Every structure is written in structure tokens, then in C-alpha cells.
Amino acid sequence: MYQRGDYVVKVPEGVCKIEDIGQFDISGTDREYYLLVPIAERSSRIYVPTDNAAGRIRSVIKKAEAMQLIKSIPRINEKEISCEKMREQEYKETILSGNPEKIISIIKLLYSRRQERLEQGKKATATDDRYFKQAEAVLFAELSFALDIPKENMEQFIALTIEQRENSVCSKVCTGVLKN
């Protein structure tokens, strides 16, 4: 059970602070609720039943987990969608899962689709653009919070971190080759 003051992720709202836990006059029941306040929209209030919170909220990833996730991005495969008719549903389900690795896989897929369309002289579809922005917003909000980096700097931070890791791996491999 979470405590008052804990930070949790509630998708699609993002990182929220548990402001209070108690019985609120919501539906005339005696259920206990978490009162969540999204850090991005402090005037909003979200009530989540404490007995039904699993799968609806989860703890925010820690700083070390966030860094490990970013470093693993090159190894995460893009999402495969076998049925074109289910594409939008798959996007939605993946984002609402709140699973950072799955969200990265959808971002990679959407990016690839955008690049393919641009190479064909076409624009990205409105649906792809909308879900790309949503997926990035969800991912960047949590990483930003965990790493204490402004959300607007996350894309650049991720790119630099991956680039440094790739250069480090390359230099270790090259050094190993030269020594042998």
C-alpha cells in the first residue's frame, strides 16, 4: 500500500503525488481512495480506490532504473503490429500499460513509420503523430521526474546518453582489438 506523500505513475496523467488517503464522498460508498494530484496539472484531482489500485498506478522508477532504461533503448525492439486494423488499439493499449519498455517499443515503431512515409514523399499520419506525442509525453514525464531533468530536455539527454554509451562500447572494443 502506498503512503501519503508517495509519488506514483497514473497513465495517461503521468507522475502524481498521493495527497491523501481516505474515504471521500464520491459514490456514497465506504471505499477508501488515494487522492492523486498530477505534478503537471496541480489543479486536477484523481481518485483511485485503494483496493483496486494494482494495474492503475505504480511506483515511479528510481534514478538508477531510469538510467538503465535509457541505456537499454538501442536493444529494445520496435513493437510489431500484425493487424493493420488494430494499429490504433495497439498504440492505445501500449501507452495505457504505462510500461516504459513497451512505450519505447511503440515510439520506435512510430518513428520508423514516419521515416518510411517521408521517404515515400508522404506525411506522417495524424494518428501516428498523436500517439507518438502521447507516448513521448508519458515516457519523458516519468524519466524527467526520476532524473530531475526538465521534461523539455529529455530527448536531448537520452540522445547524449545513448551516444556516450555507444562511443564507450566502441572505444572498449577498439582498445581490446588493438591490444590483441
Side-chain angles (χ1 to χ4, degrees):
M1 184 159 170
Y2 299 104
Q3 304 298 315
R4 185 178 288 118
D6 286 351
Y7 288 90
V8 295
V9 175
K10 166 80 171 79
V11 177
E13 291 85 359
V15 177
C16 299
K17 182 177 183 180
I18 298 178
E19 284 290 319
D20 203 359
I21 304 169
Q23 294 176 345
F24 303 99
D25 189 21
I26 296 175
S27 60
T29 66
D30 289 340
R31 287 177 94 178
E32 191 171 67
Y33 291 84
Y34 293 115
L35 169 58
L36 307 179
V37 176
I39 63 170
E41 186 60 47
R42 298 204 186 270
S43 62
S44 293
R45 301 288 181 261
I46 303 164
Y47 296 90
V48 176
T50 59
D51 61 353
N52 192 19
R56 299 179 74 190
I57 62 174
R58 65 170 173 78
S59 297
V60 177
I61 61 175
K62 307 280 187 243
K63 185 175 185 171
E65 293 170 311
M67 286 303 298
Q68 190 58 43
L69 178 68
I70 291 170
K71 290 174 183 175
S72 73
I73 288 174
R75 294 186 308 275
I76 296 173
N77 294 323
E78 61 182 62
K79 174 102 171 134
E80 290 186 30
I81 298 177
S82 56
C83 179
E84 225 18 70
K85 291 181 180 180
M86 297 300 292
R87 180 172 294 284
E88 186 171 2
Q89 185 64 31
E90 290 272 350
Y91 293 164
K92 227 182 269 187
E93 287 175 8
T94 300
I95 293 169
L96 289 176
S97 77
N99 180 312
E101 285 186 13
K102 289 181 180 180
I103 292 171
I104 290 168
S105 74
I106 215 79
I107 289 171
K108 286 180 137 184
L109 170 65
L110 290 163
Y111 180 81
S112 292
R113 282 180 50 89
R114 179 188 295 163
Q115 293 308 110
E116 285 174 19
R117 290 185 64 84
L118 290 174
E119 287 171 10
Q120 296 168 357
K122 301 175 183 177
K123 288 190 207 177
T125 68
T127 300
D128 283 1
D129 274 347
R130 183 173 72 246
Y131 285 104
F132 184 83
K133 289 175 187 169
Q134 274 184 356
E136 267 195 343
V138 168
L139 179 67
F140 289 0
E142 184 170 7
L143 291 175
S144 169
F145 182 83
L147 298 169
D148 196 24
I149 295 172
K151 188 175 172 180
E152 58 273 7
N153 296 346
M154 281 313 307
E155 185 175 0
Q156 181 181 11
F157 179 80
I158 290 168
L160 288 172
T161 301
I162 291 171
E163 183 179 311
Q164 287 173 350
R165 179 172 167 76
E166 296 295 318
N167 288 340
S168 173
V169 169
C170 179
S171 68
K172 287 178 186 174
V173 170
C174 291
T175 303
V177 169
L178 292 175
K179 286 182 180 178
N180 291 333

